[in-house]
Amino acid sequence: MVTTDRDALVTATTPGPEPLTLVGGRPTLPAYLRQVWQRRSFIAALARFRIEAENQQNRLGMAWVVLKPLLNAGLYGTIFGVLLASGRPPHFVEFLVIGVFLFEFFATSFTSGAKSITANTALVQSLAFPRMALPVAVVVQRLLQFVPMLAIMVVAVAALGHPVEVDWLLLVPLTALFFLFNTGLALIAARLTVHVRDLTHLLPFLTRITFYTTGIFFSIEQRFADDPLVLRIASFVPLHEFLTLARGILLDDPAFAAPGEFWLYATGWSVAMLVLGVLFFWSAEERYGRTD
């Protein structure tokens, strides 16, 4: 039996700090954030239930969480590492695995978060709760799926000859920053998709363009070594910063050393995107679920 989002909401919020009421007006931002925090058990439960619902009809179940990015890495590695091998960066397998795994977390958070309100219209129209819980739950779900991927990524890099170092623990704060960034982006995309439903058709194109332009399977620094303008622009692209930091942490090669300011940039992007996402999503709270 497939668990629905409505079942998850009832399970996680009954009994709760506040009784469920009919859909009302938008509360103030502090009150709204308190309501979201009070429903943290619902957010966690909904994330877990969605993972179970996605995998319970598959024979391999949760194994697909790891198999999917591994298959993607194998496919892209064959295409770009064998068929189009010219100009590939050193340690290409590890380079590609890190890029594909992090991009999977980003892309699934973005696309699923964008549809988190429109895919739960009946729930939004029938119950009063902070709608922000839905996109946040989606990103939490993707984070829970990313953790085993992260473990596989670390094991793969170590197995390919890179010594385990204390610096690898920096993956923890990097993942936390990436989570904040993806949450803010999901909140923005969720509201935009509610207002302009046609955006759902553009999501695959946006993620594909991002995949091919942010250095997932090639080194931007190596490809554009003679073009300082492109390198300067790339240094301010958030996803490129996260990829560069992750590769700099795991790969013991000076060619992948990340500039120290990338930590400042990534932190700034994460906090700014989260704050912007919260404000942008909250300001339209009264409009979610309307049919007009």
Side-chain angles (χ1 to χ4, degrees), residues 175-192:
T175 300
L177 290 175
F178 206 20
F179 170 76
L180 296 180
F181 178 83
N182 289 340
T183 300
L185 185 63
L187 290 172
I188 294 173
R191 175 179 169 179
L192 291 177

Side-chain angles (χ1 to χ4, degrees), residues 1-5 7 48-65 141 145:
M1 179 178 180
V2 177
T3 302
T4 65
D5 289 352
D7 295 333
R48 293 195 304 269
F49 291 160
R50 281 176 170 169
I51 293 175
E52 294 173 2
E54 282 185 358
N55 294 285
Q56 64 183 350
Q57 295 181 349
N58 299 322
R59 291 181 181 273
L60 296 180
M62 283 293 295
W64 282 110
V65 172
Q141 172 192 355
Q145 293 174 323

Side-chain angles (χ1 to χ4, degrees), residues 156-167:
V157 170
L160 289 168
H162 296 270
V164 178
E165 299 178 354
V166 177
D167 288 349

Side-chain angles (χ1 to χ4, degrees), residues 7 83 104 194 205 211 230 242 246 275-276 286:
D7 295 333
L83 302 180
E104 184 79 9
V194 168
F205 298 99
F211 179 84
V230 173
F242 284 110
V275 171
L276 178 61
E286 294 174 309

Side-chain angles (χ1 to χ4, degrees), residues 114-173:
K115 302 174 184 177
S116 59
I117 301 297
T118 56
N120 293 281
T121 302
L123 181 65
V124 171
Q125 291 178 339
S126 60
L127 293 175
F129 65 98
R131 312 307 195 277
M132 189 178 291
L134 294 177
V136 171
V138 166
V139 185
V140 171
Q141 172 192 355
R142 300 309 175 185
L143 176 65
L144 294 176
Q145 293 174 323
F146 179 65
V147 170
M149 293 164 54
L150 190 63
I152 294 296
M153 182 176 72
V154 168
V155 171
V157 170
L160 289 168
H162 296 270
V164 178
E165 299 178 354
V166 177
D167 288 349
W168 287 20
L169 292 176
L170 290 174
L171 286 174
V172 176

Side-chain angles (χ1 to χ4, degrees), residues 253-271:
D253 189 322
F256 300 114
E261 61 267 22
F262 271 26
W263 280 104
L264 295 176
Y265 295 162
T267 302
W269 274 114
S270 300
V271 174

